[in-house]
Amino acid sequence: MAQSDTVVRILDTAEALFAEKGFAETSLRTITSRAKVNLAAVNYHFGSKKALIQAVFARYLDPFCEAFNTELAVLENKQQTIPLEELLAVMARTTLNVPATKGSLSVFMRLLGLAYTQAQGHMRRYLQENYGQTFLRFTHLLKLSSADLPDAERFWRLHFILGAVVFTMSSLDALRDIALNDYDEKTRIADLVARLLPVVTAAMQAPVPVQPEKIKSLVVSC
């Protein structure tokens, strides 16, 4: 069912303000003022600021997870280890295919970064309860495609990759301007993803580094 103009306006405004100022620093009063609605409208449609934050995430994560679960089912039905490059490419393609307005993917990536650093307990629970199963399906396939990595190493590399993707996509406009001004290159999102995929794939496939304790013992022995 299509959302009303008021709901869309509230979501658009809240999304932009959360990305700009953070969750805690953005008040409902600021959102209603910018969206030109009264507080009663926010309470009627969402009930609380907490529910509004969740609705902002759901607008992207619901269609993403629906499409990604379909893609993951196809990969799982192959009953074979999926090459890492293919698995990451499927995730990238699904992300780009989520319906979004111009610039909104970049804004959502900023929100995703904030979810790691600013999200309160309710937000972590919400993400886990509603989208955790999709993440588990993906990480299971990721584990099979990178079986030589220790679990802890895979955890860190996955979050290094997430950090690189979030920074790149959330800074998209600035990076494209730099590429245009410094290198006379016009960059489409598809071009950027094509460049990013081999980098993150190589990050997952890099040799496991020597642990600091081992480095220290080697230095002492010398």
Side-chain angles (χ1 to χ4, degrees):
M1 183 173 63
Q3 294 176 323
S4 71
D5 290 342
T6 299
V7 170
V8 171
R9 191 160 70 251
I10 293 171
L11 286 171
D12 286 347
T13 303
E15 175 186 285
L17 286 170
F18 289 148
E20 177 187 346
K21 301 176 180 297
F23 301 119
E25 293 76 9
T26 302
S27 67
L28 286 180
R29 186 177 298 277
T30 303
I31 293 170
T32 56
S33 176
R34 181 82 65 89
K36 293 181 171 54
V37 299
N38 57 41
L39 186 59
V42 175
N43 290 330
Y44 174 77
H45 290 291
F46 301 100
S48 66
K49 179 180 175 181
K50 179 192 301 184
L52 177 57
I53 294 173
Q54 293 174 355
V56 167
F57 276 85
R59 188 160 63 154
Y60 290 89
L61 290 178
D62 282 357
F64 169 79
C65 285
E66 181 179 358
F68 198 34
N69 278 318
T70 300
E71 294 281 5
L72 291 175
V74 172
L75 297 179
E76 290 165 347
N77 288 337
K78 291 183 177 181
Q79 297 183 339
Q80 65 186 47
T81 300
I82 308 302
L84 183 61
E85 298 90 337
E86 180 180 353
L87 181 59
L88 294 177
V90 166
M91 186 176 192
R93 183 175 68 245
T94 306
T95 301
L96 293 182
N97 287 340
V98 172
T101 58
K102 183 179 180 181
S104 58
L105 177 59
S106 178
V107 171
F108 180 72
M109 285 296 175
R110 287 200 290 275
L111 290 175
L112 193 59
L114 290 175
Y116 266 73
T117 58
Q118 292 190 4
Q120 299 174 349
H122 79 86
M123 194 61 204
R124 295 191 183 94
R125 287 193 298 273
Y126 170 78
L127 294 174
Q128 178 62 36
E129 291 171 1
N130 290 273
Y131 310 108
Q133 191 58 41
T134 301
F135 183 73
L136 286 176
R137 292 179 74 180
F138 169 72
T139 54
H140 175 68
L141 291 174
L142 182 67
K143 183 173 182 177
L144 295 177
S145 67
S146 57
D148 54 326
L149 284 178
D151 289 343
E153 187 68 23
R154 186 181 302 105
F155 163 82
W156 283 113
R157 293 191 185 195
L158 179 59
H159 286 83
F160 293 156
I161 288 172
L162 180 61
V165 171
V166 168
F167 169 78
T168 300
M169 299 306 294
S170 64
S171 307
L172 185 59
D173 291 340
L175 293 173
R176 292 166 89 174
D177 286 343
I178 293 171
L180 181 61
N181 293 330
D182 293 0
Y183 306 103
D184 195 28
E185 179 182 277
K186 293 183 178 179
T187 308
R188 301 175 304 167
I189 294 181
D191 299 327
L192 183 64
V193 171
R195 281 180 161 157
L196 189 56
L197 273 174
V199 174
V200 296
T201 300
M204 286 297 297
Q205 295 174 331
V208 177
V210 177
Q211 296 301 311
E213 295 79 5
K214 293 182 180 180
I215 294 176
K216 182 177 180 180
S217 64
L218 287 173
V219 172
V220 171
S221 66
C222 292

Coordinates of all heavy atoms in Angstrom, one line a residue, residues 64-150:
F64 N 15.5 -4.5 0.6 CA 16.8 -5.1 0.3 C 16.8 -6.5 0.8 O 17.2 -7.4 0.1 CB 17.9 -4.3 1.1 CG 19.2 -5.0 1.1 CD1 20.0 -5.0 0.0 CD2 19.6 -5.7 2.3 CE1 21.2 -5.7 0.1 CE2 20.8 -6.4 2.3 CZ 21.6 -6.4 1.2
C65 N 16.3 -6.8 2.0 CA 16.3 -8.2 2.5 C 15.4 -9.1 1.7 O 15.7 -10.3 1.5 CB 15.9 -8.2 4.0 SG 17.3 -7.5 5.1
E66 N 14.3 -8.6 1.3 CA 13.4 -9.4 0.5 C 14.1 -9.8 -0.8 O 14.1 -11.0 -1.2 CB 12.1 -8.6 0.1 CG 11.2 -9.4 -0.7 CD 9.9 -8.7 -1.1 OE1 9.7 -7.5 -0.6 OE2 9.0 -9.2 -1.8
A67 N 14.8 -8.9 -1.5 CA 15.5 -9.2 -2.7 C 16.7 -10.1 -2.4 O 17.0 -11.0 -3.2 CB 15.9 -7.9 -3.4
F68 N 17.4 -9.7 -1.3 CA 18.7 -10.5 -1.0 C 18.4 -11.9 -0.6 O 19.1 -12.8 -1.0 CB 19.4 -9.7 0.1 CG 20.9 -10.1 0.2 CD1 21.6 -10.4 -0.9 CD2 21.5 -10.1 1.5 CE1 23.0 -10.8 -0.8 CE2 22.8 -10.4 1.6 CZ 23.6 -10.8 0.5
N69 N 17.3 -12.1 0.1 CA 16.9 -13.5 0.5 C 16.6 -14.3 -0.7 O 16.9 -15.5 -0.8 CB 15.7 -13.5 1.4 CG 16.1 -13.2 2.9 OD1 17.1 -13.7 3.4 ND2 15.4 -12.4 3.6
T70 N 16.0 -13.7 -1.7 CA 15.7 -14.4 -3.0 C 17.0 -14.8 -3.7 O 17.2 -15.9 -4.1 CB 14.9 -13.5 -3.9 OG1 13.6 -13.2 -3.3 CG2 14.6 -14.2 -5.2
E71 N 18.0 -13.9 -3.7 CA 19.3 -14.1 -4.3 C 20.1 -15.2 -3.5 O 20.7 -16.1 -4.1 CB 20.1 -12.9 -4.4 CG 19.6 -11.8 -5.3 CD 19.9 -12.1 -6.8 OE1 20.4 -13.1 -7.1 OE2 19.5 -11.2 -7.6
L72 N 20.0 -15.1 -2.2 CA 20.7 -16.1 -1.4 C 20.1 -17.5 -1.5 O 20.8 -18.5 -1.5 CB 20.6 -15.7 0.1 CG 21.4 -14.4 0.5 CD1 21.1 -14.1 2.0 CD2 22.9 -14.6 0.3
A73 N 18.8 -17.6 -1.7 CA 18.2 -18.9 -2.0 C 18.7 -19.5 -3.2 O 18.9 -20.7 -3.3 CB 16.6 -18.7 -2.0
V74 N 18.9 -18.7 -4.3 CA 19.4 -19.2 -5.5 C 20.8 -19.8 -5.3 O 21.2 -20.9 -5.8 CB 19.4 -18.1 -6.6 CG1 20.2 -18.6 -7.8 CG2 18.0 -17.7 -6.9
L75 N 21.6 -19.0 -4.6 CA 23.0 -19.5 -4.3 C 23.0 -20.8 -3.4 O 23.8 -21.7 -3.7 CB 23.8 -18.4 -3.6 CG 24.0 -17.1 -4.3 CD1 24.7 -16.1 -3.5 CD2 24.7 -17.3 -5.7
E76 N 22.1 -20.8 -2.4 CA 22.1 -22.0 -1.6 C 21.6 -23.2 -2.3 O 22.1 -24.3 -2.1 CB 21.1 -21.7 -0.4 CG 21.7 -20.7 0.6 CD 20.6 -20.2 1.5 OE1 19.4 -20.4 1.3 OE2 21.0 -19.5 2.5
N77 N 20.7 -23.1 -3.3 CA 20.2 -24.2 -4.1 C 21.3 -24.8 -5.0 O 21.1 -25.9 -5.5 CB 19.0 -23.8 -4.9 CG 17.8 -23.5 -4.0 OD1 17.7 -24.1 -2.9 ND2 16.8 -22.7 -4.5
K78 N 22.3 -24.1 -5.2 CA 23.4 -24.6 -6.1 C 24.2 -25.7 -5.4 O 24.8 -26.5 -6.0 CB 24.4 -23.5 -6.4 CG 23.8 -22.5 -7.4 CD 24.9 -21.4 -7.8 CE 24.4 -20.5 -8.8 NZ 25.4 -19.5 -9.3
Q79 N 24.0 -25.8 -4.0 CA 24.6 -26.8 -3.2 C 26.1 -27.0 -3.5 O 26.6 -28.1 -3.7 CB 23.9 -28.2 -3.4 CG 22.4 -28.1 -3.0 CD 21.7 -29.4 -3.1 OE1 22.1 -30.3 -3.9 NE2 20.7 -29.6 -2.3
Q80 N 26.8 -25.9 -3.6 CA 28.2 -25.9 -3.8 C 28.8 -24.6 -3.2 O 28.0 -23.6 -2.9 CB 28.6 -25.9 -5.3 CG 28.1 -24.7 -6.1 CD 28.3 -24.8 -7.6 OE1 28.0 -25.9 -8.2 NE2 28.9 -23.8 -8.2
T81 N 30.1 -24.6 -3.0 CA 30.7 -23.4 -2.4 C 30.7 -22.3 -3.5 O 31.1 -22.5 -4.6 CB 32.2 -23.7 -2.0 OG1 32.2 -24.7 -1.0 CG2 32.8 -22.4 -1.5
I82 N 30.1 -21.1 -3.1 CA 30.0 -20.0 -4.0 C 31.3 -19.2 -4.0 O 31.8 -18.9 -2.9 CB 28.8 -19.1 -3.6 CG1 27.5 -19.9 -3.5 CG2 28.6 -18.0 -4.6 CD1 27.1 -20.7 -4.7
P83 N 31.9 -19.0 -5.2 CA 33.1 -18.1 -5.2 C 32.9 -16.8 -4.5 O 31.8 -16.2 -4.6 CB 33.4 -17.9 -6.7 CG 32.7 -19.1 -7.4 CD 31.5 -19.4 -6.5
L84 N 33.9 -16.4 -3.8 CA 33.8 -15.1 -3.0 C 33.4 -14.0 -3.9 O 32.5 -13.1 -3.5 CB 35.1 -14.8 -2.3 CG 35.1 -13.6 -1.4 CD1 34.1 -13.8 -0.2 CD2 36.5 -13.5 -0.8
E85 N 34.0 -13.9 -5.0 CA 33.7 -12.7 -5.9 C 32.2 -12.7 -6.3 O 31.5 -11.7 -6.4 CB 34.5 -12.8 -7.2 CG 36.0 -12.7 -7.0 CD 36.6 -14.1 -6.8 OE1 35.9 -15.0 -6.4 OE2 37.8 -14.2 -7.0
E86 N 31.6 -13.9 -6.6 CA 30.2 -14.0 -7.0 C 29.3 -13.6 -5.8 O 28.3 -12.9 -6.0 CB 29.9 -15.4 -7.4 CG 28.4 -15.6 -7.8 CD 28.1 -17.0 -8.3 OE1 29.0 -17.8 -8.4 OE2 26.9 -17.3 -8.5
L87 N 29.6 -14.0 -4.6 CA 28.8 -13.7 -3.4 C 28.8 -12.2 -3.2 O 27.7 -11.6 -2.9 CB 29.4 -14.5 -2.2 CG 28.7 -14.3 -0.9 CD1 27.2 -14.7 -1.0 CD2 29.4 -15.1 0.2
L88 N 30.0 -11.6 -3.2 CA 30.0 -10.1 -3.0 C 29.4 -9.4 -4.1 O 28.7 -8.3 -3.9 CB 31.5 -9.7 -2.8 CG 32.2 -10.3 -1.6 CD1 33.7 -9.9 -1.6 CD2 31.5 -9.9 -0.3
A89 N 29.5 -9.9 -5.3 CA 28.8 -9.2 -6.5 C 27.3 -9.3 -6.3 O 26.6 -8.3 -6.7 CB 29.3 -9.9 -7.8
V90 N 26.8 -10.4 -5.9 CA 25.3 -10.5 -5.7 C 24.8 -9.5 -4.6 O 23.8 -8.8 -4.8 CB 25.0 -11.9 -5.2 CG1 23.5 -12.0 -4.7 CG2 25.1 -12.9 -6.4
M91 N 25.6 -9.3 -3.5 CA 25.2 -8.4 -2.5 C 25.3 -7.0 -3.1 O 24.4 -6.2 -2.8 CB 26.2 -8.5 -1.3 CG 25.8 -7.6 -0.1 SD 26.9 -7.9 1.3 CE 26.0 -7.1 2.6
A92 N 26.3 -6.6 -3.8 CA 26.4 -5.3 -4.4 C 25.3 -5.0 -5.4 O 24.7 -3.9 -5.3 CB 27.7 -5.1 -5.1
R93 N 25.0 -6.0 -6.2 CA 23.9 -5.8 -7.2 C 22.5 -5.6 -6.5 O 21.7 -4.8 -6.9 CB 23.8 -7.0 -8.1 CG 22.8 -6.9 -9.2 CD 22.8 -8.1 -10.2 NE 22.4 -9.3 -9.6 CZ 23.2 -10.4 -9.4 NH1 24.5 -10.3 -9.8 NH2 22.8 -11.5 -8.8
T94 N 22.3 -6.4 -5.4 CA 21.0 -6.2 -4.7 C 20.9 -4.9 -4.1 O 19.9 -4.2 -4.1 CB 20.9 -7.3 -3.6 OG1 21.1 -8.6 -4.2 CG2 19.6 -7.3 -2.9
T95 N 22.0 -4.4 -3.5 CA 22.0 -3.0 -2.9 C 21.7 -2.0 -3.9 O 20.9 -1.1 -3.6 CB 23.4 -2.7 -2.3 OG1 23.7 -3.7 -1.3 CG2 23.5 -1.4 -1.6
L96 N 22.3 -2.1 -5.1 CA 22.0 -1.0 -6.1 C 20.6 -1.1 -6.7 O 20.1 -0.1 -7.2 CB 23.1 -1.2 -7.3 CG 24.5 -0.9 -6.9 CD1 25.4 -1.0 -8.1 CD2 24.7 0.5 -6.3
N97 N 20.0 -2.3 -6.6 CA 18.7 -2.5 -7.2 C 17.6 -2.1 -6.3 O 16.4 -2.1 -6.7 CB 18.5 -3.9 -7.7 CG 19.3 -4.2 -8.9 OD1 19.7 -3.3 -9.7 ND2 19.6 -5.5 -9.2
V98 N 17.9 -1.8 -5.0 CA 16.8 -1.3 -4.1 C 16.3 0.0 -4.6 O 17.0 0.9 -4.8 CB 17.4 -1.2 -2.7 CG1 16.3 -0.6 -1.8 CG2 17.7 -2.6 -2.1
P99 N 15.0 0.1 -4.7 CA 14.4 1.4 -5.2 C 14.8 2.5 -4.2 O 14.7 2.4 -3.0 CB 12.9 1.2 -5.1 CG 12.7 -0.3 -5.2 CD 13.9 -0.9 -4.5
A100 N 15.3 3.6 -4.8 CA 15.7 4.7 -4.0 C 15.7 6.0 -4.8 O 15.8 6.0 -6.1 CB 17.1 4.5 -3.5
T101 N 15.5 7.1 -4.2 CA 15.5 8.4 -4.9 C 17.0 8.8 -5.0 O 17.9 8.3 -4.4 CB 14.7 9.5 -4.1 OG1 15.3 9.6 -2.8 CG2 13.3 9.1 -4.0
K102 N 17.2 9.8 -5.8 CA 18.5 10.3 -6.1 C 19.2 10.7 -4.8 O 18.7 11.6 -4.1 CB 18.5 11.5 -7.1 CG 19.9 12.0 -7.5 CD 19.8 13.1 -8.5 CE 21.2 13.6 -8.8 NZ 21.1 14.8 -9.8
G103 N 20.4 10.2 -4.5 CA 21.2 10.6 -3.4 C 20.8 9.8 -2.1 O 21.5 9.9 -1.1
S104 N 19.7 9.1 -2.1 CA 19.2 8.5 -0.9 C 20.1 7.3 -0.5 O 20.2 7.0 0.7 CB 17.7 8.0 -1.0 OG 17.6 7.1 -2.1
L105 N 20.7 6.6 -1.4 CA 21.6 5.5 -1.0 C 22.8 6.0 -0.2 O 23.2 5.4 0.8 CB 22.1 4.8 -2.3 CG 23.1 3.6 -2.1 CD1 22.4 2.5 -1.2 CD2 23.5 3.0 -3.4
S106 N 23.3 7.1 -0.6 CA 24.4 7.7 0.1 C 24.0 8.1 1.5 O 24.7 7.9 2.5 CB 24.9 9.0 -0.7 OG 26.0 9.6 0.0
V107 N 22.8 8.7 1.6 CA 22.3 9.1 2.9 C 22.1 7.8 3.8 O 22.4 7.8 5.0 CB 20.9 9.8 2.8 CG1 20.3 10.0 4.2 CG2 21.2 11.2 2.1
F108 N 21.5 6.8 3.2 CA 21.3 5.6 4.0 C 22.6 5.0 4.5 O 22.7 4.4 5.6 CB 20.5 4.5 3.2 CG 20.2 3.3 4.0 CD1 19.3 3.3 5.1 CD2 20.9 2.1 3.7 CE1 19.1 2.1 5.8 CE2 20.7 1.0 4.5 CZ 19.8 1.0 5.5
M109 N 23.6 5.0 3.7 CA 24.9 4.5 4.1 C 25.5 5.2 5.3 O 26.1 4.7 6.2 CB 25.9 4.5 2.9 CG 25.7 3.4 1.9 SD 25.9 1.8 2.6 CE 25.4 0.7 1.2
R110 N 25.2 6.6 5.3 CA 25.6 7.3 6.5 C 24.9 6.9 7.7 O 25.4 6.8 8.8 CB 25.4 8.8 6.3 CG 26.4 9.4 5.3 CD 26.5 11.0 5.4 NE 25.3 11.6 5.0 CZ 25.1 12.0 3.7 NH1 26.0 11.7 2.8 NH2 24.0 12.6 3.4
L111 N 23.6 6.6 7.6 CA 22.8 6.1 8.7 C 23.2 4.8 9.1 O 23.3 4.5 10.3 CB 21.3 6.0 8.2 CG 20.6 7.3 8.0 CD1 19.2 7.1 7.5 CD2 20.5 8.1 9.3
L112 N 23.7 3.9 8.2 CA 24.1 2.6 8.6 C 25.4 2.7 9.4 O 25.6 2.0 10.4 CB 24.4 1.8 7.3 CG 24.6 0.3 7.5 CD1 23.4 -0.4 8.1 CD2 24.9 -0.4 6.1
G113 N 26.3 3.6 9.0 CA 27.5 3.9 9.8 C 27.1 4.4 11.2 O 27.7 3.9 12.2
L114 N 26.1 5.3 11.3 CA 25.7 5.8 12.6 C 25.1 4.7 13.5 O 25.2 4.7 14.7 CB 24.7 6.9 12.4 CG 25.2 8.2 11.9 CD1 24.1 9.2 11.6 CD2 26.3 8.8 12.8
A115 N 24.4 3.7 12.8 CA 23.8 2.6 13.6 C 24.8 1.8 14.4 O 24.5 1.3 15.4 CB 23.1 1.7 12.6
Y116 N 26.1 1.8 13.9 CA 27.1 1.1 14.6 C 27.7 1.9 15.7 O 28.1 1.3 16.7 CB 28.3 0.7 13.6 CG 28.1 -0.7 13.0 CD1 27.2 -0.9 12.0 CD2 29.0 -1.7 13.4 CE1 27.0 -2.2 11.5 CE2 28.8 -3.0 12.8 CZ 27.9 -3.2 11.9 OH 27.7 -4.4 11.4
T117 N 27.7 3.2 15.6 CA 28.4 4.0 16.5 C 27.4 4.7 17.5 O 27.8 5.0 18.6 CB 29.2 5.1 15.9 OG1 28.4 5.9 15.0 CG2 30.3 4.5 15.0
Q118 N 26.2 5.0 17.1 CA 25.3 5.7 17.9 C 24.0 4.9 18.3 O 23.3 5.4 19.2 CB 24.8 7.0 17.2 CG 25.8 8.0 16.9 CD 25.2 9.3 16.4 OE1 24.0 9.5 16.3 NE2 26.1 10.3 16.1
A119 N 23.8 3.8 17.7 CA 22.5 3.1 17.9 C 22.4 2.7 19.4 O 23.4 2.1 20.0 CB 22.4 1.9 17.0
Q120 N 21.3 2.9 20.0 CA 21.0 2.4 21.3 C 20.5 1.0 21.3 O 20.4 0.4 20.2 CB 19.9 3.3 21.9 CG 20.4 4.8 22.0 CD 19.2 5.7 22.5 OE1 18.1 5.3 22.6 NE2 19.6 6.9 22.8
G121 N 20.3 0.4 22.5 CA 20.0 -1.0 22.5 C 18.8 -1.4 21.7 O 18.7 -2.4 21.1
H122 N 17.8 -0.5 21.7 CA 16.5 -0.9 21.0 C 16.8 -1.0 19.5 O 16.2 -1.9 18.8 CB 15.5 0.2 21.2 CG 15.6 1.5 20.4 ND1 15.2 1.6 19.2 CD2 16.3 2.6 20.7 CE1 15.5 2.8 18.7 NE2 16.2 3.5 19.6
M123 N 17.7 -0.2 19.0 CA 18.0 -0.3 17.5 C 18.7 -1.5 17.2 O 18.5 -2.2 16.2 CB 18.8 1.0 17.1 CG 18.9 1.2 15.6 SD 17.2 1.4 15.0 CE 17.4 0.9 13.3
R124 N 19.7 -1.9 18.0 CA 20.4 -3.2 17.8 C 19.5 -4.4 17.8 O 19.6 -5.3 17.0 CB 21.6 -3.3 18.8 CG 22.7 -2.3 18.6 CD 23.9 -2.6 19.4 NE 24.9 -1.5 19.3 CZ 25.0 -0.6 20.2 NH1 24.2 -0.5 21.2 NH2 25.9 0.4 20.0
R125 N 18.6 -4.3 18.8 CA 17.6 -5.4 18.9 C 16.7 -5.5 17.7 O 16.4 -6.5 17.2 CB 16.8 -5.3 20.2 CG 17.5 -5.6 21.5 CD 16.6 -5.7 22.7 NE 15.9 -4.5 22.9 CZ 16.3 -3.5 23.7 NH1 17.5 -3.6 24.3 NH2 15.6 -2.4 23.9
Y126 N 16.3 -4.3 17.3 CA 15.4 -4.2 16.1 C 16.0 -4.8 14.9 O 15.4 -5.6 14.1 CB 15.0 -2.8 15.9 CG 14.2 -2.5 14.6 CD1 12.9 -2.9 14.4 CD2 14.9 -2.0 13.5 CE1 12.2 -2.7 13.2 CE2 14.2 -1.8 12.3 CZ 12.9 -2.1 12.2 OH 12.3 -1.9 11.0
L127 N 17.3 -4.4 14.6 CA 18.0 -4.9 13.4 C 18.2 -6.4 13.5 O 18.1 -7.1 12.5 CB 19.3 -4.1 13.3 CG 19.2 -2.6 13.0 CD1 20.6 -2.0 13.0 CD2 18.6 -2.4 11.6
Q128 N 18.6 -6.8 14.7 CA 18.8 -8.3 14.9 C 17.5 -9.1 14.7 O 17.5 -10.1 14.0 CB 19.4 -8.5 16.3 CG 19.7 -10.0 16.6 CD 20.7 -10.6 15.6 OE1 21.6 -10.0 15.2 NE2 20.4 -11.9 15.3
E129 N 16.5 -8.6 15.3 CA 15.2 -9.4 15.2 C 14.6 -9.4 13.8 O 14.0 -10.4 13.4 CB 14.2 -8.8 16.2 CG 14.6 -9.0 17.7 CD 13.7 -8.2 18.6 OE1 12.8 -7.5 18.2 OE2 13.9 -8.3 19.9
N130 N 14.8 -8.3 13.1 CA 14.1 -8.2 11.8 C 15.0 -8.5 10.6 O 14.4 -9.0 9.6 CB 13.6 -6.8 11.6 CG 12.4 -6.5 12.6 OD1 11.3 -6.7 12.2 ND2 12.7 -5.9 13.7
Y131 N 16.3 -8.4 10.8 CA 17.2 -8.6 9.6 C 18.3 -9.5 9.9 O 19.1 -9.8 9.0 CB 17.7 -7.3 9.1 CG 16.6 -6.2 8.9 CD1 16.4 -5.2 9.8 CD2 15.6 -6.4 7.9 CE1 15.4 -4.3 9.6 CE2 14.6 -5.5 7.7 CZ 14.5 -4.4 8.6 OH 13.5 -3.5 8.4
G132 N 18.4 -10.0 11.2 CA 19.5 -10.8 11.6 C 19.6 -12.1 10.8 O 20.7 -12.6 10.5
Q133 N 18.4 -12.7 10.5 CA 18.4 -14.0 9.8 C 19.0 -13.9 8.4 O 19.7 -14.8 7.9 CB 17.0 -14.6 9.7 CG 16.9 -16.0 9.2 CD 17.6 -17.0 10.1 OE1 17.6 -16.9 11.3 NE2 18.3 -17.9 9.5
T134 N 18.7 -12.8 7.7 CA 19.3 -12.6 6.4 C 20.8 -12.4 6.5 O 21.6 -13.0 5.7 CB 18.7 -11.3 5.8 OG1 17.3 -11.4 5.7 CG2 19.3 -11.0 4.4
F135 N 21.3 -11.7 7.5 CA 22.7 -11.6 7.7 C 23.4 -12.9 8.0 O 24.5 -13.2 7.5 CB 23.0 -10.6 8.8 CG 24.4 -10.3 9.1 CD1 25.2 -9.5 8.2 CD2 25.1 -10.8 10.2 CE1 26.5 -9.2 8.5 CE2 26.4 -10.6 10.4 CZ 27.1 -9.8 9.6
L136 N 22.7 -13.8 8.8 CA 23.3 -15.1 9.1 C 23.4 -15.9 7.8 O 24.3 -16.7 7.7 CB 22.4 -15.8 10.1 CG 22.5 -15.2 11.6 CD1 21.5 -15.9 12.5 CD2 23.9 -15.4 12.1
R137 N 22.4 -15.9 7.0 CA 22.4 -16.6 5.7 C 23.7 -16.2 4.9 O 24.4 -17.0 4.3 CB 21.2 -16.4 4.9 CG 19.9 -17.1 5.5 CD 18.7 -16.8 4.7 NE 18.7 -17.6 3.4 CZ 17.8 -17.6 2.5 NH1 16.7 -16.7 2.7 NH2 17.8 -18.4 1.5
F138 N 23.8 -14.9 4.8 CA 25.0 -14.4 4.0 C 26.3 -14.8 4.7 O 27.2 -15.2 4.0 CB 24.9 -12.8 4.0 CG 26.1 -12.2 3.4 CD1 26.4 -12.3 2.1 CD2 27.0 -11.5 4.3 CE1 27.6 -11.7 1.6 CE2 28.1 -10.9 3.8 CZ 28.4 -11.0 2.4
T139 N 26.4 -14.6 6.0 CA 27.7 -15.0 6.6 C 28.0 -16.4 6.6 O 29.2 -16.8 6.6 CB 27.7 -14.5 8.1 OG1 26.6 -15.0 8.8 CG2 27.7 -13.0 8.2
H140 N 27.0 -17.3 6.5 CA 27.2 -18.7 6.4 C 27.8 -19.0 5.0 O 28.8 -19.8 4.9 CB 25.9 -19.5 6.5 CG 26.0 -21.0 6.2 ND1 26.7 -21.8 7.1 CD2 25.6 -21.7 5.2 CE1 26.7 -23.0 6.6 NE2 26.0 -23.0 5.5
L141 N 27.3 -18.4 4.0 CA 27.9 -18.6 2.6 C 29.3 -18.0 2.6 O 30.2 -18.5 1.9 CB 27.0 -18.0 1.6 CG 25.6 -18.7 1.3 CD1 24.8 -17.8 0.4 CD2 25.8 -20.1 0.8
L142 N 29.4 -16.9 3.2 CA 30.7 -16.2 3.3 C 31.8 -17.1 3.9 O 32.9 -17.2 3.5 CB 30.6 -14.9 4.0 CG 31.9 -14.0 4.1 CD1 32.3 -13.5 2.7 CD2 31.7 -12.9 5.0
K143 N 31.4 -17.8 5.0 CA 32.3 -18.7 5.7 C 32.7 -19.8 4.8 O 33.9 -20.2 4.8 CB 31.6 -19.2 7.0 CG 32.5 -20.1 7.8 CD 31.8 -20.5 9.1 CE 32.8 -21.3 10.0 NZ 32.2 -21.6 11.3
L144 N 31.8 -20.4 4.0 CA 32.1 -21.5 3.1 C 33.0 -21.0 2.0 O 33.9 -21.8 1.6 CB 30.8 -22.0 2.5 CG 29.8 -22.7 3.4 CD1 28.5 -23.1 2.7 CD2 30.4 -23.9 4.1
S145 N 32.9 -19.8 1.6 CA 33.7 -19.3 0.5 C 35.1 -18.8 1.0 O 35.9 -18.4 0.2 CB 33.0 -18.2 -0.3 OG 32.8 -17.0 0.6
S146 N 35.3 -18.7 2.3 CA 36.5 -18.3 2.9 C 36.9 -19.2 4.0 O 37.3 -18.7 5.1 CB 36.5 -16.8 3.4 OG 35.4 -16.7 4.3
A147 N 36.8 -20.5 3.8 CA 37.0 -21.5 4.8 C 38.4 -21.5 5.4 O 38.6 -22.0 6.6 CB 36.7 -22.9 4.2
D148 N 39.4 -20.9 4.7 CA 40.7 -21.0 5.3 C 40.9 -19.9 6.3 O 42.0 -19.9 7.0 CB 41.7 -20.7 4.1 CG 41.4 -19.5 3.3 OD1 40.3 -19.2 3.2 OD2 42.4 -18.9 2.8
L149 N 40.0 -19.0 6.5 CA 40.1 -17.9 7.5 C 39.6 -18.3 8.8 O 38.5 -18.9 8.9 CB 39.4 -16.6 7.0 CG 39.9 -15.8 5.9 CD1 39.0 -14.6 5.6 CD2 41.3 -15.2 6.3
P150 N 40.3 -18.0 9.9 CA 39.8 -18.2 11.2 C 38.5 -17.3 11.4 O 38.4 -16.3 10.8 CB 40.9 -17.7 12.2 CG 42.2 -17.8 11.3 CD 41.7 -17.5 9.9

